[in-house]
Amino acid sequence: MSPRFRGALLRIRGLALALLVGSGSLPIAALPISAGDVPKWREDLRHMAVEMPRRHKNLFHSMTRAQFDGAVAVLDERIPSLQRHQIIVEMARIAAMVGDGHTNIAPTRDPKIGFRTYPIKLYLFQDGLYVRAAARERADLLGARVVRIGKASADEAYAAVRGIIGRDNEMDGKYFAPFLLAMPEVLHALGLIDDMERAAFTVEVRGRRKVVVLAPAGPADLLPPDTDTSWMPKDGWIDARGSPSSDPLWLRDPKNKFWFEYLPASRAVYVQFNHVGNKDTETVADFARRLFAFVAENPVDRFVLDLRLNRGGDGGLNRPLLLGIIKSDKIDRRGKLFTLIGRSTWSAAQMLVNELEEYTQTLFVGEPSGGKVNSYGDSRKITLPNSGITVRVSTLWWQGDERDKRPWMAPDIAADLTFDDYRANNDPALRVALDGTPPTLLADVLMETVSAADDSAAAEQYRRWKADPRNAYVDPEPELIDLGYRLMGLNRLPEAIQIFRIAAEASPLSANAHDSLGEAYLQHGDRELAIRSYERALTIDPRMDSSKAALEKLRALR
C-alpha cells in the first residue's frame, strides 16, 4: 500500500463509517464474503486505487483526489460486511466517478464478473422502459411497460443504476442501464430488491398494471466492444417485433461491419457502418472505393450513412469514407446527405461524426450520440490480481476544439424511437432521411420575422420553432447569437436586441448570451441595461473578459 493511500484510509475511515451509519446506507442484510476473502478484495481495491491514477490520462478531470480517496476508503471499510456482487458494484461506482465512458467496470463485458439476467430484455424508448424481448416462457411480458423495479419506480431505478455506469453523457447511461436493470446482482447491490431469486417487476400491459415475480434465467449476455449487437435474436427468446424476416434495414445485419444497399424508390444509397474496422475480406478503404464508384455511376439523390450501431474501433480508418463524401459533389449537399446517430454512436464513430460536422454538409438525424467532440479515450485494462476483474481506464485526451462544451452531437432533426415504432418495424430516423425535407434554419426563420415595429413577432416564432418535436435536441444559442451580430452589422440594433433577449431566455446560464445582449444594449445607448447584462454574464462566468472590460469602462463613466 502506498503511503499516500494508507494515509487517506486512516484519515477517512472513521468519518466514513459514521456517515454510513448516520445515513442509513449500511448494506442490505445478506451473507458477507468469507473472512479469508476479505484481504483479497482489499488487495484488489488497493491495486485499482493505485493503478487508476497512474494509467489514466487525467483521472481527476471530473472529481478531486480527495473524493476518489474517500470513496475507496469507504468501500475498504465496508468490504467485510458485503457480498461479492455488492463489492463489484461499489467498485464500478468508483470507476464511474471518473466521468468518462472509456473508464469503467462493466458487467456487460467482463466474463469474470459473471452476473446473471432475468428472462427479459429492456430498452429505454422515447415513451418509457419496455420489455422488448423475453424468454419464450415469459412471452406474456412482451411489450409491457416497466413501471417499478422492486422498491423503486422505473425513473428511480434508472437514477440508481446510472451511478455505476462510466459514461461520457446521458445517452451512455440510457444505452447501458437497460442491461444492468435486468441483472439480479445489480438490483440487489443497489438496494432495489431484497431477494435476487424472486424480483418483483410492476408492469403495465394494455393499460392494466400487474406485478410479476421473476427468477434469474442464466448468465447475462456479454456485449462486444465495438458494435451494438444487442438487438440480434437469441435462441429460445421472442422479440416484440416478431419474425426476423421482417427486420428493418438498421437491424438487418448488425454483425456486418459495413455494407450498403441501393433503394430505387427514393434513389438513395443506404450505408450501414457498424464498426470502424477492416474485414478479413475487405478493408474500409476498399469498401469506400466500391461505395463511391457506385454513387458516381448510378442515379443517387440521397446518401444515408447509418452510425447508430457503431460503438467505435480504430478511428484512423474513418478517413477513406470521410474523403469519399467530401469529394462527391453529387451527395455532399444540404438535403442530400444524412447521417443517422444515436446512443450507441460512440468512440471512433463519434470521431467520424465530429469530422462530418466539420467538413461536410450532412444533416444529423435520430437522437444524440453517446460521445462528444472532446473526450478521454483509448482505454487500457487493469486486471485485478485476485478476482481477475477488469478495470478500464482512458489513456488519451482527444480534443477537437477546447471551446466546445457540448455533451454530445445533437441531431439536426430529432427522430426518437418509440416502442410502437419498434414493434411495427418502423424506423423514424430513416423515414426522415428518405422522405423529409431539410429543416429551415432558425436564423432564417427569425430573419424574416424580426421587426423593430413588433418586438413580439420573433419571440412568438421562436416559441413555435421550439415546440416542434423535430427540434427537440437542437441548441438554438449559436444560431441566435450569429443572427444577432448579423443584425448589428446591418445597424438594426432594436432587432438585434430582440434576438439576443431570446438567446438569453433560451440559455439563461450562458454567459455568452448575456454578454452579447450587453454589447447590443451598449451600442444602442442603453447603458444601464448593458451594465445589468454584463453583470449577469459575470455572475455566470467570472472569467468572461469581455464583460469585465466593458463594465470597467461603463462604471468609469458613471
Side-chain angles (χ1 to χ4, degrees), residues 155-193:
D155 288 343
E156 291 167 341
Y158 173 75
V161 81
R162 71 188 289 277
I164 67 169
I165 298 171
R167 60 193 186 279
D168 286 328
N169 58 41
E170 201 61 35
M171 301 310 291
D172 269 350
K174 288 186 175 183
Y175 174 69
F176 284 107
F179 303 112
L180 299 176
L181 289 173
M183 293 182 179
E185 291 81 5
V186 170
L187 299 185
H188 182 258
L190 294 175
L192 302 180
I193 59 173

Side-chain angles (χ1 to χ4, degrees), residues 83-221:
Q83 290 183 290
R84 174 184 182 273
H85 64 279
Q86 293 171 317
I87 297 171
I88 293 170
V89 166
E90 291 310 309
M91 293 172 78
R93 187 187 307 281
I94 292 172
M97 287 172 59
V98 178
D100 64 71
H102 285 85
T103 301
N104 58 69
I105 292 176
T108 54
R109 286 186 59 186
D110 190 350
K112 288 289 187 180
I113 291 178
F115 286 175
R116 300 168 294 169
T117 186
Y118 293 113
I120 53 176
K121 290 185 183 293
L122 305 174
Y123 191 78
L124 272 166
F125 293 93
Q126 184 189 32
D127 45 343
L129 182 66
Y130 281 81
V131 178
R132 68 164 187 83
R136 194 175 302 278
E137 63 271 19
R138 294 315 314 237
D140 59 306
L141 296 179
L142 281 177
R145 185 170 71 88
V146 178
V147 179
R148 294 186 67 83
I149 298 176
K151 306 171 186 178
S153 69
D155 288 343
E156 291 167 341
Y158 173 75
V161 81
R162 71 188 289 277
I164 67 169
I165 298 171
R167 60 193 186 279
D168 286 328
N169 58 41
E170 201 61 35
M171 301 310 291
D172 269 350
K174 288 186 175 183
Y175 174 69
F176 284 107
F179 303 112
L180 299 176
L181 289 173
M183 293 182 179
E185 291 81 5
V186 170
L187 299 185
H188 182 258
L190 294 175
L192 302 180
I193 59 173
D194 292 327
D195 185 352
M196 289 185 285
E197 310 309 312
R198 290 178 53 82
F201 285 73
T202 304
V203 299
E204 186 174 279
V205 181
R206 290 184 290 276
R208 293 188 176 183
R209 291 189 178 185
K210 64 178 180 177
V211 177
V212 295
V213 177
L214 300 179
D221 295 331

Side-chain angles (χ1 to χ4, degrees), residues 518 520-534 550-551 553-558:
Y521 277 138
L522 185 59
Q523 285 200 26
H524 194 248
D526 300 322
R527 290 174 53 197
E528 292 304 317
L529 291 175
I531 288 172
R532 288 183 209 168
S533 294
Y534 286 132
L551 275 176
K553 292 180 181 179
L554 285 166
R555 286 168 178 163
L557 295 172
R558 274 182 166 179

Side-chain angles (χ1 to χ4, degrees), residues 511-526:
N512 185 44
H514 290 280
D515 178 80
S516 300
L517 179 57
E519 186 176 348
Y521 277 138
L522 185 59
Q523 285 200 26
H524 194 248
D526 300 322

Side-chain angles (χ1 to χ4, degrees), residues 46-92:
R46 287 195 296 270
H47 186 77
M48 170 178 159
V50 170
E51 291 298 311
M52 287 183 71
R54 188 174 75 84
R55 298 199 192 187
H56 196 287
K57 176 67 176 175
N58 176 18
L59 193 74
F60 306 111
H61 62 86
S62 297
M63 65 173 174
T64 65
R65 178 81 201 215
Q67 288 172 325
F68 179 73
D69 287 344
V72 171
V74 167
L75 180 54
D76 183 87
E77 189 72 41
R78 296 180 66 195
I79 281 175
S81 62
L82 297 180
Q83 290 183 290
R84 174 184 182 273
H85 64 279
Q86 293 171 317
I87 297 171
I88 293 170
V89 166
E90 291 310 309
M91 293 172 78

